[in-house]
């Protein structure tokens, strides 16, 4: 099973470990595309702070992020699973997993990123600020930049098993499963169900969507679940206590859509 995750804007500080070693990152087929983004991002942030703030969409209070980006090549690193600290990652809580579950996380979790393309949670990276929606001068929209390299590397990364896609829309722009890979891909959204004047209302609530996805991945890792495809995933999630509504694709070459319905959000 390969689980595709979004990154988080919230990030821990860079570690005290050795600086970035690009050749050590997973998916080496993305190396050239990573180097191009890193070069342009560092160049932008080192040369013009105001322009960098505008390009990256950062407010006045986030000027420190520009300095951080300018020093990416010499900053310390830590595992990506420790760098990302947002709601999904708080719920996933990798550090508290048992040894076997952490090992499964290292093999199955892949975090998409505007800067790195995609990394595994054990890859050592510095803290940074660069979303997939950014348009870097001299490079353009990052979603489009990553598309061709991803087409080359992702089918191999996906292997022949289930692909569980939990990415937000900005990150699906970098790679969309096609053909046979799509047919064993399940994309998930989380819906909050509540009764209003006797009528069920469903809505997507960003914070709880992320938290539920984090808990779901955690439960799958702890259970040692190995569903072979979307149908098996639905049964596994139901066994784990989730309310799941599944929609199989209408035609070949498309992904499954799963709704996880929750009545309590926390």
């Amino acid at each position: 099973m390969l689980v595709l995750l979004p990154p988080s804007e919230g990030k821990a500080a860079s570690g005290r470990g050795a600086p970035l070693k690009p050749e050590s990152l997973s998916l080496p087929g993305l190396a050239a595309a990573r180097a191009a983004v890193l070069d342009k991002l560092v160049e932008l942030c080192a040369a013009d702070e105001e322009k960098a703030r505008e390009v990256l969409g950062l407010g006045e209070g986030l000027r420190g992020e520009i300095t951080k980006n300018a020093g990416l090549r010499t900053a310390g690193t830590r595992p990506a699973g420790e760098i990302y600290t947002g709601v999904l990652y708080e719920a996933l809580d990798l550090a508290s997993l048992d040894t076997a579950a952490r090992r499964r996380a290292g093999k199955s979790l892949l975090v998409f990123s505007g800067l790195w393309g995609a990394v595994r949670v054990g890859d050592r990276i510095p803290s940074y600020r660069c979303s997939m929606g950014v348009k870097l001068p001299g490079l353009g929209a990052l979603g489009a930049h990553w598309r061709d390299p991803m087409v080359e590397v992702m089918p191999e990364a996906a292997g022949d098993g289930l692909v569980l896609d939990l990415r937000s829309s900005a990150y699906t722009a970098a790679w969309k499963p096609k053909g046979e890979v799509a047919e064993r891909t399940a994309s998930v959204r989380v819906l909050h169900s509540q009764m209003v004047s006797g009528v069920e209302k469903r809505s997507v609530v960003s914070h709880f969507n992320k938290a539920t996805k984090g808990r779901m991945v955690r439960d799958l890792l702890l259970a040692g679940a190995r569903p072979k495809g979307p149908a098996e995933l639905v049964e596994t999630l139901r066994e784990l206590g989730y309310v799941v509504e599944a929609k199989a694709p209408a035609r070949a070459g498309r992904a499954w859509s799963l709704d996880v319905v929750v009545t309590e959000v926390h």
Side-chain angles (χ1 to χ4, degrees), residues 131-144:
S131 70
M132 190 65 80
V134 163
K135 295 182 179 179
L136 280 179
L139 206 61
L142 292 180

Side-chain angles (χ1 to χ4, degrees), residues 7-13 65 68 80 82-87 89-90 127-129 210:
S8 65
E9 287 193 2
K11 296 180 182 70
E65 300 294 289
K68 181 166 68 175
E82 296 178 13
I83 288 287
Y84 299 113
T85 60
V87 173
Y89 293 90
E90 288 179 359
S127 186
Y128 67 97
R129 188 68 172 247
K210 295 173 184 176

Side-chain angles (χ1 to χ4, degrees), residues 68-83:
K68 181 166 68 175
N69 281 348
L72 281 171
R73 289 195 178 91
T74 57
T77 58
R78 63 172 66 189
E82 296 178 13
I83 288 287

